[in-house]
Amino acid sequence: MNILSPSILSADFKNLSSQLKILEELGVAYLHIDVMDGMFVPSISFGMPVIKSIREDCNMIFDVHLMIENPERYIDDFVNSGADIIVVHAEAVKHLDSTINKIKSCGKQCGIAICPATPINNIIHLLPFIDMVLVMSVNPGFGGQKMIPYTLDKIRHLRKIKDENSFKYDIEVDGGINADTITDVLDAGANIIVMGSAIFKENFEENTKKYLEVLKMHIYENNME
Ligand code: DX5
Ligand code: ZN
């Protein structure tokens, strides 16, 4: 199944609650939540209190992308804040195997993110055990960047490994996805599509409807489930 995961990094924070309500009414199932610490990435975004607060009246699946150093320190906090999927960066964790086990032992879905320059081989042994691989298609830290084309090869490779081994992980792609790039990432084999600026700039309701339709049509045209 193809899934849209709008990134609230580009949302209008003074109207966050009403924007989320509209997304939910339009049938958006996932919400991508970018946590940044000013260390792993240059910028600082928001953390647990914000997630906890939007959790109160939002039923979407919270796809929490932790762009923080040593995220293993905070797994319990993000679980308690209402995260459904916890995604840690392979580059930011010292003991990745124990961190994914920790997330799974909390009953949450577990994802591993890899930056553009990080080879798939670095996480190859963990692929049978995780729910999601997040392929960064820009260098993490900011919305509104241009997709790096070679990351498409990484998506294709991950898709091949998944199909050949009947692994279960979703392939999420994050960064620079818009009208020009969405078909390429879907064709390459990604099935969870993060979109920040392409959804929230200008008329976000229209954008959301448009991209939900693109995802639906891609499945239909390719006879996928
Ligand atoms: C970037 C974040 C992204 C960001 C994507 O580091 O991880 O989720 O919000 O924004 P766009 O879609 O504008 O590239
Ligand atoms: Zn993200």
Side-chain angles (χ1 to χ4, degrees):
M1 200 168 64
N2 287 340
I3 295 167
L4 178 67
S5 194
S7 164
I8 57 168
L9 197 61
S10 297
D12 174 5
F13 285 103
K14 68 182 181 307
N15 292 311
L16 189 55
S17 172
S18 61
Q19 290 203 321
L20 297 190
K21 195 149 272 155
I22 292 169
L23 288 178
E24 223 171 341
E25 281 166 10
L26 291 173
V28 172
Y30 277 47
L31 192 66
H32 187 81
I33 300 176
D34 287 305
V35 180
M36 301 179 178
D37 67 350
M39 293 290 286
F40 181 68
V41 291
S43 191
I44 298 177
S45 58
F46 43 75
M48 288 76 94
V50 171
I51 300 175
K52 212 174 187 145
S53 153
I54 60 175
R55 181 78 282 178
E56 280 171 26
D57 54 3
C58 183
N59 291 313
M60 285 184 270
I61 292 171
F62 279 11
D63 161 26
V64 178
H65 178 193
L66 298 180
M67 283 167 276
I68 64 180
E69 284 294 344
N70 305 120
E72 58 273 26
R73 296 171 294 160
Y74 294 110
I75 302 303
D76 287 324
D77 296 275
F78 285 104
V79 168
N80 294 332
S81 306
D84 297 298
I85 307 170
I86 298 183
V87 184
V88 295
H89 264 269
E91 306 85 358
V93 178
K94 270 204 191 80
H95 302 289
L96 200 48
D97 182 86
S98 62
T99 303
I100 66 163
N101 285 326
K102 165 73 186 172
I103 297 170
K104 286 163 69 168
S105 74
C106 295
K108 299 298 167 189
Q109 288 191 50
C110 168
I112 300 178
I114 47 174
C115 290
T118 301
I120 292 166
N121 228 16
N122 289 18
I123 59 166
I124 201 88
H125 297 293
L126 300 175
L127 292 178
F129 311 115
I130 59 178
D131 301 294
M132 179 202 279
V133 180
L134 191 172
V135 178
M136 285 305 304
S137 40
V138 298
N139 289 297
F142 303 97
Q145 304 181 70
K146 257 194 156 51
M147 191 188 86
I148 299 171
Y150 71 72
T151 58
L152 286 171
D153 288 338
K154 295 172 75 180
I155 297 172
R156 278 186 210 106
H157 191 184
L158 278 163
R159 185 58 184 244
K160 190 163 178 275
I161 297 171
K162 172 182 159 135
D163 292 345
E164 284 174 359
N165 296 281
S166 303
F167 289 155
K168 297 275 177 273
Y169 55 81
D170 287 307
I171 302 175
E172 180 170 56
V173 60
D174 183 8
I177 312 304
N178 53 38
D180 296 332
T181 53
I182 190 164
T183 308
D184 288 343
V185 296
L186 288 168
D187 286 348
N191 72 305
I192 302 184
I193 311 299
V194 177
M195 296 180 105
S197 44
I199 289 288
F200 287 100
K201 67 156 198 257
E202 288 147 21
N203 191 339
F204 94 99
E205 283 192 52
E206 289 311 311
N207 297 335
T208 305
K209 285 185 202 156
K210 170 173 132 185
Y211 289 116
L212 282 173
E213 189 60 24
V214 171
L215 295 189
K216 208 164 85 191
M217 287 310 290
H218 190 268
I219 290 187
Y220 179 70
E221 284 161 8
N222 292 278
N223 291 319
M224 292 153 64
E225 280 184 20

